[in-house]
Amino acid sequence: MPTKRILIVDDEESIQTVVQFGIQMVADWDVLIASSGPQGIKTACDESPDAILLDVMMPDMDGIATFKALQADPQTAQIPVIFLTAKAQTSERKQFNDLGVSGVITKPFNSLDLPDQIVKMLDW
């Protein structure tokens, strides 16, 4: 797999670590980390990652507000976003799909499966 740059936006350090470990172990992609929505938006603007893994439930600015801000900025609107969420009821999945996210990965997940899931969702 060619080297990709993945931005993880999640307020939980343990999730950041697990995701980073799984992606680097299996795919050897570069991993960027942001701990909040505003920090994720700034990092996405500065670094132009190939994809963003975005936690839905975060304090202050949640994943949905962050996603909408990313979509509103021409600099980041083309970056595919995959939600990481513990909320995976059918109604929530429909809401996420209606927003236009590229995919949804439910917590808990196997971090070693993440690169394959990302590749499938984004047709890489």
XYZ file of all heavy atoms in Angstrom, residues 24-60:
271
model
N -0.050 2.133 11.942
C 1.376 2.084 11.641
C 1.901 0.650 11.571
O 2.756 0.346 10.741
C 2.164 2.906 12.665
C 1.920 4.398 12.475
C 2.625 5.274 13.493
O 2.856 4.868 14.621
N 2.934 6.489 13.089
N 1.368 -0.241 12.411
C 1.794 -1.647 12.394
C 1.436 -2.317 11.080
O 2.248 -3.001 10.477
C 1.093 -2.429 13.516
C 1.753 -2.368 14.851
S 3.089 -3.539 15.003
C 2.267 -5.108 14.816
N 0.183 -2.135 10.646
C -0.317 -2.876 9.494
C 0.018 -2.189 8.175
O 0.437 -2.826 7.219
C -1.850 -3.085 9.621
C -2.417 -3.738 8.380
C -2.155 -3.921 10.850
N -0.173 -0.878 8.107
C -0.061 -0.189 6.827
C 1.160 0.728 6.724
O 1.485 1.191 5.638
C -1.324 0.629 6.579
N 1.805 1.029 7.847
C 2.950 1.929 7.864
C 2.606 3.307 7.270
O 3.402 3.908 6.563
C 4.146 1.302 7.129
C 5.452 2.009 7.487
O 5.536 2.546 8.609
O 6.360 2.048 6.645
N 1.384 3.765 7.536
C 0.976 5.095 7.105
C 1.407 6.112 8.155
O 1.607 5.783 9.319
C -0.540 5.184 6.946
C -1.101 4.335 5.851
C -0.445 3.823 4.775
C -2.459 3.891 5.729
N -1.308 3.083 4.002
C -2.539 3.114 4.560
C -3.601 4.084 6.504
C -3.734 2.535 4.128
C -4.779 3.508 6.079
C -4.853 2.740 4.899
N 1.522 7.374 7.736
C 1.786 8.450 8.684
C 0.498 8.780 9.418
O -0.570 8.848 8.804
C 2.278 9.705 7.944
C 3.633 9.475 7.284
O 4.417 8.644 7.786
O 3.901 10.120 6.263
N 0.592 8.992 10.715
C -0.584 9.300 11.526
C -0.391 10.662 12.192
O 0.614 10.897 12.853
C -0.826 8.210 12.598
C -2.004 8.578 13.481
C -1.049 6.854 11.939
N -1.364 11.534 11.976
C -1.403 12.838 12.635
C -2.479 12.765 13.709
O -3.489 12.077 13.515
C -1.759 13.931 11.622
C -0.894 13.980 10.359
C -1.567 14.798 9.281
C 0.469 14.542 10.692
N -2.292 13.479 14.823
C -3.250 13.377 15.921
C -3.719 14.760 16.354
O -2.909 15.678 16.496
C -2.622 12.628 17.122
C -2.364 11.167 16.739
C -3.524 12.703 18.348
C -1.664 10.357 17.789
N -5.022 14.878 16.543
C -5.616 16.089 17.109
C -6.570 15.649 18.217
O -7.250 14.633 18.085
C -6.359 16.873 16.041
N -6.636 16.436 19.298
C -7.438 16.051 20.457
C -8.775 16.773 20.547
O -9.527 16.554 21.487
C -6.652 16.317 21.741
O -5.480 15.541 21.744
N -9.079 17.633 19.569
C -10.349 18.370 19.604
C -10.749 18.742 18.174
O -9.922 18.691 17.251
C -10.197 19.655 20.422
O -9.333 20.557 19.746
N -12.020 19.131 18.013
C -12.498 19.555 16.709
C -11.702 20.717 16.130
O -11.184 20.627 15.012
N -11.565 21.837 16.884
C -10.803 22.969 16.352
C -9.354 22.613 15.995
O -8.838 23.042 14.962
C -10.854 23.996 17.495
C -12.119 23.669 18.230
C -12.237 22.166 18.152
N -8.718 21.792 16.839
C -7.341 21.375 16.557
C -7.309 20.500 15.295
O -6.409 20.613 14.467
C -6.775 20.612 17.753
C -5.291 20.297 17.627
C -4.773 19.422 18.768
O -5.505 19.064 19.689
N -3.505 19.066 18.696
N -8.325 19.634 15.130
C -8.412 18.783 13.944
C -8.589 19.596 12.671
O -7.972 19.301 11.647
N -9.412 20.632 12.731
C -9.634 21.492 11.563
C -8.329 22.198 11.183
O -7.939 22.242 10.013
C -10.760 22.514 11.845
C -12.091 21.775 11.997
C -10.835 23.568 10.745
C -13.199 22.596 12.632
N -7.636 22.722 12.183
C -6.372 23.412 11.922
C -5.347 22.443 11.324
O -4.672 22.757 10.336
C -5.821 24.034 13.209
C -4.512 24.793 12.969
C -3.935 25.376 14.241
C -2.651 26.145 14.026
N -1.820 25.811 12.898
N -5.245 21.248 11.895
C -4.289 20.252 11.391
C -4.648 19.845 9.965
O -3.766 19.714 9.113
C -4.254 19.011 12.314
O -3.937 19.445 13.644
C -3.214 18.008 11.857
N -5.936 19.661 9.689
C -6.370 19.299 8.337
C -5.989 20.390 7.334
O -5.525 20.097 6.228
C -7.877 19.045 8.314
N -6.161 21.649 7.720
C -5.788 22.772 6.845
C -4.279 22.821 6.621
O -3.814 23.014 5.501
C -6.254 24.096 7.440
S -8.024 24.356 7.339
N -3.521 22.629 7.699
C -2.061 22.746 7.620
C -1.412 21.553 6.917
O -0.415 21.709 6.215
C -1.448 22.852 9.030
C -1.824 24.152 9.737
O -2.335 25.074 9.067
O -1.613 24.231 10.966
N -1.960 20.353 7.117
C -1.277 19.130 6.687
C -1.908 18.408 5.490
O -1.294 17.506 4.928
C -1.204 18.140 7.862
C -0.476 18.670 9.087
C 1.026 18.806 8.866
O 1.572 18.119 7.977
O 1.645 19.615 9.586
N -3.152 18.734 5.126
C -3.865 18.073 4.021
C -3.729 16.544 4.057
O -3.142 15.948 3.157
C -3.372 18.601 2.675
O -3.659 19.962 2.558
N -4.273 15.902 5.103
C -4.174 14.431 5.178
C -5.004 13.768 4.076
O -5.869 14.400 3.467
C -4.755 14.119 6.556
C -5.698 15.246 6.821
C -5.073 16.456 6.199
N -4.716 12.486 3.831
C -5.467 11.728 2.822
C -6.849 11.342 3.324
O -7.761 11.121 2.529
C -4.693 10.461 2.431
C -3.395 10.808 1.715
O -3.462 11.401 0.634
O -2.322 10.487 2.262
N -7.002 11.232 4.640
C -8.296 10.896 5.237
C -8.282 11.321 6.705
O -7.221 11.499 7.300
C -8.577 9.396 5.134
N -9.499 11.470 7.249
C -9.650 11.860 8.647
C -10.531 10.838 9.348
O -11.606 10.500 8.853
C -10.296 13.262 8.760
C -9.400 14.315 8.089
C -10.553 13.624 10.230
C -10.031 15.695 7.972
N -10.055 10.326 10.489
C -10.873 9.497 11.372
C -11.349 10.426 12.477
O -10.533 10.973 13.227
C -10.055 8.342 11.963
C -9.500 7.320 10.973
C -8.713 6.250 11.710
C -10.608 6.685 10.168
N -12.649 10.612 12.568
C -13.214 11.648 13.425
C -14.165 11.061 14.455
O -15.158 10.421 14.098
C -13.952 12.666 12.532
C -14.667 13.834 13.189
C -13.718 14.682 14.022
C -15.327 14.692 12.116
N -13.850 11.284 15.728
C -14.721 10.842 16.824
C -15.990 11.688 16.810
O -15.931 12.899 16.618
C -13.981 11.002 18.153
C -14.779 10.493 19.346
O -15.682 9.650 19.151
O -14.505 10.937 20.472
N -17.136 11.064 17.011
C -18.400 11.801 17.012
C -18.622 12.509 18.343
O -19.012 13.674 18.392
C -19.589 10.855 16.691
C -20.909 11.592 16.814
C -19.431 10.287 15.287
N -18.372 11.810 19.460
C -18.647 12.356 20.787
C -17.399 13.010 21.378
O -16.525 12.313 21.892
C -19.119 11.241 21.725
C -20.339 10.487 21.248
S -21.823 11.473 21.278
C -22.095 11.576 23.024
N -17.319 14.339 21.254
C -16.213 15.087 21.857
C -16.786 16.308 22.570
O -17.815 16.830 22.150
C -15.217 15.550 20.787
C -14.443 14.437 20.121
S -13.155 15.054 19.005
C -14.115 15.804 17.701
N -16.110 16.761 23.632
C -16.598 17.963 24.329
C -16.407 19.208 23.449
O -15.624 19.186 22.513
C -15.719 18.027 25.576
C -14.512 17.210 25.260
C -14.923 16.188 24.247
N -17.125 20.255 23.784
C -17.047 21.539 23.086
C -17.554 21.452 21.642
O -18.661 21.853 21.360
C -15.639 22.148 23.139
C -15.150 22.315 24.576
O -15.994 22.605 25.456
O -13.955 22.133 24.818
